[in-house]
Amino acid sequence: MRIALAGLATSHPYTDARTLTRHAELVVWEPDPERLRRFTDEHPGVKVAGSLEEVLAGRVDGVVLTVPNPAVPEALAQVLETGAACFVNKPAAASRAQLERLDALPIHDRVLSSSVLRFAPAFTNALAAGMRRPGGEDRTGDVTGDVTGDVTGDVTGDVTGAVRGEVLAVRATVRHDVGLWADGYNAWQDTPGEGGGTMVTMGIHGVELLVALMGPEVELVGAAGARRHYTSLRSEDTGVMALRWDDGVTGTVEILGVSESESYAVTVHRRDSTETIVIEGGGDPVRGLGYEGTIEAFLAMAAGAPSPVPWRETRAVLDVIVCARERA
């Protein structure tokens, strides 16, 4: 199998490559020489291409696309012309203009864009254990889960039937420090009109988990952000979103960009119980946070399988975070 890493604009493709190298021959393109050097130092056997066009001119079974958000629509359009499977590292869009440009593309069923947390074993195990099963038994208390199990299967589908009817409200809490941006690193990510800032880049994790749990029929009803600690940021270091699903279930996404540790939690409130799933890296963050599971799903797509996350769900996630960026 031959996989292209098209762009190294964030830290994610460096992590993705640790899984990919066990399964495929890699070719990489990145216009920034320092980022490219860092990558080739870690993976000296990788083939280097001089342009995206050169990458796509050869045989590729799949493309991991990681370019700055303003460049995603044009780059994705080129990838789509090849027919290869494509994983677009999150977020695929960070502004209304970017999202509208994506909407104009012929996105097929082997395009995946998702927060890796959707594939985190603690989350997928909790879903498999009954959180989304129609008529499943009530499960109370904390579900932290281990970091084992198959995460390459279908991780879509919402809470349905009796279980969905019991839900009063849901909440996602994102703890991921953004202090790296305070000194100007990857300034485009911290710029609201380009990468979306903390509200988009970190908020997508919480929205992704809630949409995976509750389905894509959701709208944003409010958002706010603030700079509580990193005053030099272009965006915010804390934020909150209020969501509502079409059946009246309400949701909250809390974004804490000032944090000593990285963790994520999803809470489901019912009349007689509260259930919480906690996602942490543990001893193996590549697996525990879902990076490995995401790439395993992508490799299945490169072999011919459809994306386990329908684009309809991805589009719903993107619309929520773009709306939050506009309102915050």
Side-chain angles (χ1 to χ4, degrees), residues 277-288:
I277 306 165
V278 178
I279 303 169
E280 297 176 305
D284 184 359
V286 174
R287 183 158 182 80

Side-chain angles (χ1 to χ4, degrees), residues 199-263:
M199 185 68 72
V200 166
T201 302
M202 300 308 168
I204 189 175
H205 292 303
V207 177
E208 186 83 46
L209 292 172
L210 294 186
V211 167
L213 179 66
M214 299 296 294
E217 301 300 332
V218 62
E219 64 175 341
L220 183 92
V221 295
R227 281 188 290 272
R228 300 291 299 158
H229 181 76
Y230 297 120
T231 57
S232 61
L233 290 178
R234 292 171 167 83
S235 61
E236 56 280 300
D237 59 20
T238 56
V240 64
M241 302 180 199
L243 285 64
R244 181 172 57 219
W245 275 262
D246 61 348
D247 61 356
V249 174
T250 58
T252 307
V253 177
E254 301 171 306
I255 307 157
L256 304 173
V258 182
S259 181
E260 293 296 326
S261 60
E262 180 179 355
S263 67

Side-chain angles (χ1 to χ4, degrees), residues 16 66 78 98 100 105 108 115 130 134 190 250 252 283 291:
D16 297 337
T66 316
Q78 292 179 256
Q98 293 169 16
E100 289 175 350
L105 298 179
H108 54 68
S115 163
D190 183 35
T250 58
T252 307
Y291 290 96

Side-chain angles (χ1 to χ4, degrees), residues 157-176:
D158 56 310
V159 178
T160 57
V163 173
R164 176 62 179 262
E166 296 171 358
V167 175
L168 300 175
V170 292
R171 181 178 73 245
T173 301
V174 174
R175 282 189 167 272
H176 191 304

